[in-house]
């Protein structure tokens, strides 16, 4: 996965999605944010803690599509 986007917009989107991510969970993947870079030029961020989920999209220059789950608390 390889993409380029505006840093300030990415920070805003991450902070919004981060609100739905559990700080401590029995399921490690629920402590992260799923980032998907799509070939159509969109970046999708998704956070979930079983009770609530937030998905947000933004425009990005996607060089190589892919997805990854990263820890939400940096």
């Amino acid at each position: 996965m390889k993409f380029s986007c505006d840093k300030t917009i990415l920070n805003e989107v991450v902070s919004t999605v981060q609100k739905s991510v559990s700080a401590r969970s029995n399921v490690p993947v629920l402590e992260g944010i799923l980032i998907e870079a799509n070939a159509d030029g969109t970046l999708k961020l998704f956070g979930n803690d079983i009770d609530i989920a937030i998905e947000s999209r933004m425009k990005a220059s996607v060089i190589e599509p892919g997805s990854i789950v990263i820890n939400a608390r940096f």
Side-chain angles (χ1 to χ4, degrees), residues 8-74:
T8 48
I9 295 172
L10 180 62
N11 281 336
E12 290 174 16
V13 172
V14 167
S15 70
T16 300
V17 173
Q18 192 176 37
K19 294 173 186 172
S20 71
V21 177
S22 177
R24 298 259 187 240
S25 176
N26 293 336
V27 183
V29 75
L30 294 179
E31 296 177 10
I33 296 174
L34 171 65
I35 301 175
E36 288 183 356
N38 299 313
D40 64 356
T42 60
L43 197 62
K44 181 175 95 172
L45 286 85
F46 180 79
N48 186 359
D49 77 347
I50 302 290
D51 294 327
I52 187 171
I54 297 177
E55 178 181 316
S56 189
R57 296 175 189 259
M58 62 178 284
K59 289 187 178 186
S61 175
V62 178
I63 299 145
E64 187 177 314
S67 62
I68 188 169
V69 175
I70 60 164
N71 192 327
R73 308 290 179 207
F74 258 80

